[in-house]
Amino acid sequence: MDDLSIILSDDGSHSLHSKKYNAEYHSSHGSIQESLHVFIKAGLEYLNLPSTKILEMGLGTGLNAYLSFLYASKNKVNIQYTAYELHPVDTSITSQLNYVQQTKSNEFLEIFERIHQCTDGLNIALSDHFNFLKHHKMIQSLHQESEFDLIFYDAFGPGVQEELWSKKMTDIMYRCLNNHGVLVTYCAQGAFKRNLKASGFSVEGIPGPPGKREMTRATKKA
């Protein structure tokens, strides 16, 4: 991952810039505020379930997983978190990220480190309320049906990795969700939303995080 460099977003939290894709891992307006808005508030809080199975497309910096851990700890709800990341970020980089400090959760520094250090394919309990499993493989290899309640779709944008926003992918996402399961993403591209609808989702555009007018939330119809 020599192509990655740490950058500072507007809310004081770190992001990464990929030279290979000429893309950033989070919004330049604020990494933490974007993740809280798109994935925690519009996803976890919206579903408001006592137990939630989450699938993340693109573990990346681990920010979404860590914020989900904090949410589970604060609200005493159970989360099984599964992430697919073909190219995991090296721990020499993740150890420098400031998410623990920025969220004032220094007591959980070890948890953030374990998210990146844990063994590929091994489901581990990071707390009484949070289990974590990561796969270093392509999301296209996912074959589960009706397995997850919530999908965090956080791949690089359609302009960078168009294939990850295709109908082939929305079909896979639809299949692996439970009835009334939800997919949330920062992306509001028209072609992607049409693919979601063609796969069977009910799609809504909702207000996006600072710096972005709209995001997408899609629900699997019963």
Side-chain angles (χ1 to χ4, degrees):
M1 303 298 285
D2 291 338
D3 71 313
L4 297 180
S5 57
I6 296 175
I7 59 176
L8 197 64
S9 66
D10 289 349
D11 70 356
S13 58
H14 284 147
S15 182
L16 296 178
H17 177 80
S18 169
K19 296 177 185 176
K20 177 181 179 180
Y21 293 105
N22 190 27
E24 295 177 3
Y25 276 58
H26 302 286
S27 168
S28 61
H29 296 279
S31 299
I32 288 177
Q33 69 178 6
E34 177 192 38
S35 290
L36 285 173
H37 182 100
V38 174
F39 301 108
I40 305 304
K41 294 180 181 178
L44 264 175
E45 288 186 7
Y46 172 76
L47 279 180
N48 192 30
L49 298 174
S51 181
T52 307
K53 290 184 177 181
I54 298 175
L55 168 67
E56 180 176 17
M57 165 52 204
L59 177 65
T61 64
L63 177 57
N64 297 332
Y66 185 65
L67 292 177
S68 297
F69 167 82
L70 294 180
Y71 179 91
S73 298
K74 178 181 178 180
N75 296 283
K76 302 296 186 287
V77 296
N78 297 321
I79 292 177
Q80 169 63 59
Y81 201 101
T82 302
Y84 277 72
E85 176 60 73
L86 182 61
H87 301 293
V89 179
D90 192 86
T91 55
S92 64
I93 295 176
T94 61
S95 63
Q96 300 179 59
L97 299 175
N98 67 359
Y99 303 140
V100 173
Q101 294 79 12
Q102 288 295 111
T103 55
K104 296 180 172 59
S105 56
N106 287 1
E107 69 272 27
F108 296 128
L109 174 60
E110 182 185 358
I111 299 299
F112 181 73
E113 293 174 342
R114 289 184 69 191
I115 285 172
H116 292 286
Q117 294 170 353
C118 68
T119 302
D120 173 26
L122 180 64
N123 194 21
I124 60 171
L126 293 181
S127 75
D128 291 340
H129 298 286
F130 194 86
N131 279 43
F132 181 75
L133 170 65
K134 66 178 178 181
H135 296 288
H136 297 167
K137 59 177 67 174
M138 297 174 65
I139 192 72
Q140 290 92 330
S141 65
L142 190 155
H143 298 294
Q144 289 96 324
E145 295 188 14
S146 302
E147 175 74 16
F148 301 100
D149 305 301
L150 178 61
I151 295 173
F152 292 170
Y153 209 78
D154 201 17
F156 284 136
V160 178
Q161 291 183 302
E162 183 180 5
E163 70 279 6
L164 296 180
W165 304 88
S166 65
K167 185 175 180 295
K168 178 180 178 180
M169 291 306 307
T170 56
D171 284 345
I172 293 173
M173 296 301 101
Y174 187 87
R175 185 176 65 243
C176 75
L177 274 175
N178 293 320
N179 287 338
H180 304 294
V182 166
L183 178 151
V184 285
T185 180
Y186 65 88
C187 179
Q189 185 203 52
F192 174 61
K193 290 193 287 187
R194 288 191 292 273
N195 287 336
L196 287 168
K197 291 177 182 178
S199 294
F201 283 98
S202 174
V203 179
E204 56 182 325
I206 59 177
K212 190 169 180 59
R213 183 177 62 86
E214 188 177 293
M215 59 168 283
T216 301
R217 182 164 60 206
T219 304
K220 182 174 181 176
K221 301 174 184 176

